[in-house]
Amino acid sequence: MLEFNIIADAAEQLAQKGEIEQALELFLDAIDGQMMADDGQAEEVAYQMGWFLFQHHFYEECLETWRKLQQKGYRREEISQTVEEAFVAPNEKEFQGIYDSNLEKYKTNIHTEDVPLFKELPDWLLPAGEGVYYLFGKKDKVIGEKITASVQPCTDDEIFNGENAFDTTIFWKDWDYEDPLKGKRRNRKQVSCFLSAGGMAFSYLQFPEFQELFQEGWHIFSSLESMKDFFHSNQGIPLPRIYKGIRGDAGLFQEWIGTEHKFRCTKEGRDKGNILLTIGIPSYNRGHRALENIRHLQNLSYDAEVEFLVVDNCSQLNVEGYQEIEKMAETDSRITYYRFPDKPGDNPSPAETVKRASGRFCCLLSDEDLVYLDNVWKYLYLIQNYGDTVGFINAAGRGYYHSNTNQRYIKGEEAFGRVFWALNYMSGLVFCTDIYHKLKLYGLYCWETGNGKGNYFKRGYPHNAAAMRCSIEADVYTCGELLFQEGKEDKVSASYQKLAGNQVLEFATVENRLKQLKGIVALLNEWKGMISQKQAADCYGRAIGKVFFLIDLYRQQGGVIECSYQEAHRKIIREGIKGIEELEVGDKEYADIVISVSYWFTEYMKACKEEA
């Protein structure tokens, strides 16, 4: 014991000088030395080191040291008594006050009459540092596992690489204290349901950070039947599809969930109060494709969270598919079918789709494309967590936008630049419906059919024009997680015109590409008070480059246009430079655009000549 006292005295002298690390080194060196000779002596040194750590407020290290000694059976009762005197007794009233306060505040989340008193809880939570606690059993008086009540969230990349972070989770028989906390660190809005005997679930109510960690997303049930009744009466809460500690009883839960899911898909069981995502399918003359798509979507396990909306632009062909969808909507309340009352082509079906969506967000989907059902939860998670600030989500397809491998939350001018004429393909564009209505974005699609008046860019890329406008008012989220798989386009949907005996794709002609460029100028001028002059100039320069690129891409694919490709490039540079004056930019911006456009012109002309 004399030797231990000498070590303790030397360590204390170092501590008084602020040399804590050196003091701990004395204990650790002594432990290493004693272990060579006598484990009992090493454990005594460790016990004394625990006291030293406690006296200098290193509570986490102190409890961890004593926990390991208790596990080895060394001074078990003495450590228990010390912990009760040093950690429990001074804080017991505060512990109970926190518990009682949380019980009162969240009594609507507790679906059992058998609520344990504070003294009946199985464990104390001993505070060891900011957000760090150790369990201490009330019966066995043994220091248990460390619990981290950290509010440091995971990144979205970490979340998407892990298990489903949206669906409700059930904790039943075999789970530990850390499991629910791990889930809450991934997504605090994810609902946790505790279905277990005893007071283990109630022990969380001792956390001072309980509100921040769990928010409203948790419930405690006394029995499986009470849980069934709760979800049957609250159809808007996502059904539990993740099970923890069920000891092979997954079939019991899956049978119940399957039955409840079918009920929620009926008109009687449908809750339309909190639809997160509408998958909107504008369609024309392709009822067979739309029908195939809806049948695929019916395999999605979500009910109250989703809506499947088909907007039929007065189709004259393949109408049997639309008629079948209308019948299916009678038995699956997730399906909504709408048909325009006027002539085909007079109305913009993508705009009408978002306008009629009931969800907080609407994902536009071409009727030939199919959704990756297993990844829908990732987009529900994004809406759940970013829906209040994001106006537009750019989802990924196998061929489109899949280069967005990292998740990015983008604001301000960067957001506008990210979606500026970058969204050729309609599928996977997810609009916040509130912002869409607030900005009246469906007004962007106005086009006087028959006389060719209006903005040709908005006609050719109405979805992109809406996303650009949306990005000025709200933030943008680009997501690299696959949401859809592109299908093959039916010929009936393609728009061709005859020129010089050739079938020419209408929107790919030089004339129409230049009309689109003119439409870009009109939009940038319309929004010049909302975006900087520099950004307008940068975007216009990119727009000219894109016209060059699209025309040349069509050339590489063997397409036919109304003139030679060399003449096409000459037209682009002439009209492109003329458009700079209409944009009303400064001299420097004018010169920068001319230089970059000249470079593209030279490169594309060179490619044409080399290929010829």
Side-chain angles (χ1 to χ4, degrees):
M1 182 62 69
L2 180 61
E3 185 178 350
F4 299 147
N5 291 338
I6 292 172
I7 295 170
D9 289 343
E12 186 59 37
Q13 289 176 17
L14 288 170
Q16 289 176 4
K17 297 177 184 178
E19 299 174 354
I20 299 294
E21 290 186 11
Q22 291 87 335
L24 288 174
E25 286 294 332
L26 286 180
F27 283 108
L28 295 173
D29 288 344
I31 291 171
D32 289 340
Q34 295 294 343
M35 286 182 68
M36 298 295 292
D38 187 338
D39 282 350
Q41 290 182 329
E43 289 163 352
E44 180 61 27
V45 176
Y47 175 72
Q48 297 296 335
M49 184 176 73
W51 266 115
F52 173 82
L53 291 166
F54 175 80
Q55 290 166 350
H56 291 279
H57 311 297
F58 290 90
Y59 301 122
E60 182 178 349
E61 293 82 355
C62 166
L63 288 171
E64 184 63 32
T65 301
W66 285 345
R67 183 180 74 86
K68 291 178 179 177
L69 290 175
Q70 275 196 322
Q71 288 177 341
K72 297 178 73 173
Y74 185 79
R75 291 206 180 191
R76 182 166 175 161
E77 293 183 3
E78 189 174 343
I79 291 173
S80 297
Q81 182 178 350
T82 302
V83 169
E84 286 195 87
E85 292 174 354
F87 286 91
V88 176
N91 301 300
E92 190 166 4
K93 287 185 179 180
E94 182 179 354
F95 295 164
Q96 180 161 0
I98 293 169
Y99 178 71
D100 292 342
S101 174
N102 282 328
L103 271 183
E104 178 61 27
K105 186 174 182 179
Y106 298 107
K107 55 188 176 184
T108 57
N109 295 66
I110 299 170
H111 312 279
T112 173
E113 296 180 0
D114 187 19
V115 177
L117 299 173
F118 175 72
K119 63 182 180 181
E120 296 171 337
L121 296 176
D123 298 283
W124 280 293
L125 295 178
L126 306 180
E130 187 173 353
V132 178
Y133 299 84
Y134 274 84
L135 297 175
F136 186 59
K138 290 189 175 181
K139 289 184 177 179
D140 60 15
K141 304 297 177 66
V142 171
I143 302 170
E145 64 180 304
K146 180 173 73 173
I147 305 298
T148 305
S150 170
V151 294
Q152 182 65 36
C154 299
T155 67
D156 290 340
D157 282 318
E158 290 172 334
I159 289 170
F160 291 152
N161 288 327
E163 71 174 16
N164 188 313
F166 174 80
D167 290 358
T168 298
T169 304
I170 292 177
F171 297 93
W172 194 12
K173 296 175 181 176
D174 297 323
W175 51 278
D176 61 40
Y177 280 100
E178 192 69 16
D179 281 344
L181 297 176
K182 288 177 182 177
K184 287 298 182 181
R185 281 195 285 274
R186 298 182 74 233
N187 178 14
R188 285 188 195 91
K189 294 183 179 180
Q190 186 177 23
V191 178
S192 297
C193 292
F194 299 96
L195 178 63
S196 57
M200 185 172 173
F202 285 91
S203 294
Y204 289 105
L205 295 169
Q206 297 177 84
F207 278 125
E209 303 92 345
F210 183 83
Q211 163 61 21
E212 194 171 4
L213 278 169
F214 283 85
Q215 300 184 8
E216 305 298 325
W218 63 279
H219 297 274
I220 298 177
F221 299 94
S222 58
S223 67
L224 180 56
E225 290 306 313
S226 67
M227 180 184 285
K228 289 181 179 180
D229 291 341
F230 173 80
F231 281 99
H232 192 70
S233 303
N234 294 273
Q235 294 100 333
I237 299 178
L239 287 172
R241 296 184 178 88
I242 303 173
Y243 317 122
K244 302 287 186 180
I246 58 176
R247 293 186 194 168
D249 293 319
L252 180 68
F253 288 97
Q254 290 167 353
E255 181 180 359
W256 158 49
I257 296 302
T259 302
E260 186 63 32
H261 170 67
K262 289 180 181 177
F263 171 72
R264 289 185 173 201
C265 289
T266 65
K267 291 182 179 179
E268 179 190 1
R270 178 68 166 168
D271 185 328
K272 295 184 178 181
N274 189 30
I275 299 173
L276 294 180
L277 179 64
T278 294
I279 298 176
I281 305 173
S283 185
Y284 176 60
N285 281 348
R286 300 202 300 192
H288 59 300
R289 301 301 294 270
L291 177 60
E292 176 188 356
N293 211 321
I294 289 297
R295 283 175 172 163
H296 173 70
L297 288 171
Q298 281 189 301
N299 295 316
L300 193 61
S301 60
Y302 296 111
D303 33 69
E305 303 87 349
V306 297
E307 174 189 41
F308 313 139
L309 170 63
V310 175
V311 174
D312 171 13
N313 195 358
C314 260
S315 300
Q316 303 300 305
L317 304 174
N318 299 305
V319 295
E320 298 82 6
Y322 299 116
Q323 292 169 353
E324 181 64 23
I325 291 171
E326 193 170 16
K327 289 180 183 178
M328 293 164 67
E330 297 175 2
T331 55
D332 189 338
S333 62
R334 297 174 298 177
I335 302 171
T336 301
Y337 172 76
Y338 172 77
R339 178 179 170 86
F340 278 110
D342 48 14
K343 295 180 182 179
D346 283 359
N347 291 290
S349 49
E352 190 70 20
T353 301
V354 183
K355 186 178 180 181
R356 290 186 171 274
S358 300
R360 289 182 65 191
F361 280 71
C362 177
C363 172
L364 291 174
L365 184 72
S366 178
D367 53 20
E368 74 227 19
D369 299 337
L370 295 179
V371 167
Y372 284 102
L373 303 184
D374 290 344
N375 275 0
V376 170
W377 74 263
K378 299 176 181 180
Y379 287 86
L380 294 175
Y381 157 81
L382 289 177
I383 294 169
Q384 188 182 61
N385 281 272
Y386 298 100
D388 294 335
T389 56
V390 166
F392 174 78
I393 300 172
N394 184 14
R398 178 66 67 182
Y400 287 86
Y401 323 130
H402 192 37
S403 58
N404 307 329
T405 51
N406 294 320
Q407 320 318 321
R408 296 188 63 203
Y409 186 98
I410 312 171
K411 298 182 177 184
E413 289 198 349
E414 185 185 1
F416 181 81
R418 176 63 185 81
V419 301
F420 176 78
W421 205 356
L423 308 175
N424 294 37
Y425 205 62
M426 180 189 71
S427 288
L429 309 189
V430 189
F431 290 96
C432 173
T433 52
D434 280 350
I435 291 177
Y436 201 89
H437 284 282
K438 173 187 171 185
L439 299 178
K440 298 182 179 178
L441 292 182
Y442 35 83
L444 282 170
Y445 297 83
C446 293
W447 179 264
E448 296 181 34
T449 305
N451 61 20
K453 292 183 178 179
N455 186 308
Y456 210 85
F457 176 77
K458 290 191 289 188
R459 184 189 184 192
Y461 297 95
H463 49 276
N464 201 155
M468 286 159 56
R469 181 66 182 86
C470 190
S471 68
I472 295 175
E473 299 289 334
D475 303 334
V476 168
Y477 194 104
T478 64
C479 184
E481 298 295 319
L482 289 174
L483 183 60
F484 62 95
Q485 169 67 61
E486 297 86 348
K488 292 184 178 180
E489 185 178 15
D490 288 352
K491 289 184 179 180
V492 70
S493 67
S495 178
Y496 289 89
Q497 59 178 310
K498 286 188 177 181
L499 285 175
N502 294 311
Q503 287 285 103
V504 179
L505 192 58
E506 183 181 3
F507 66 80
T509 64
V510 180
E511 178 188 2
N512 287 338
R513 290 298 187 196
L514 292 177
K515 285 181 181 179
Q516 293 163 14
L517 187 62
K518 196 173 184 66
I520 283 286
V521 172
L523 284 178
L524 292 174
N525 280 334
E526 179 184 336
W527 299 336
K528 64 184 177 182
M530 306 176 195
I531 58 176
S532 69
Q533 189 180 64
K534 182 181 184 306
Q535 182 167 43
D538 289 345
C539 287
Y540 181 65
R542 285 170 52 196
I544 300 174
K546 182 153 186 175
V547 173
F548 274 118
F549 169 76
L550 290 173
I551 289 292
D552 206 63
L553 180 64
Y554 196 46
R555 175 185 66 82
Q556 294 172 30
Q557 294 171 345
V560 178
I561 55 176
E562 70 272 33
C563 61
S564 72
Y565 277 95
Q566 290 183 341
E567 178 57 29
H569 295 322
R570 293 189 184 99
K571 287 184 178 181
I572 295 170
I573 193 169
R574 286 196 297 267
E575 294 301 314
I577 292 177
K578 190 182 297 183
I580 307 175
E581 297 174 357
E582 296 178 20
L583 192 62
E584 301 175 357
V585 296
D587 291 342
K588 183 181 184 305
E589 287 81 10
Y590 186 101
D592 288 342
I593 297 174
V594 170
I595 291 170
S596 60
V597 170
S598 300
Y599 171 78
W600 291 322
F601 171 75
T602 303
E603 290 298 306
Y604 285 120
M605 288 294 285
K606 181 180 176 182
C608 279
K609 291 176 181 177
E610 287 177 351
E611 188 164 308

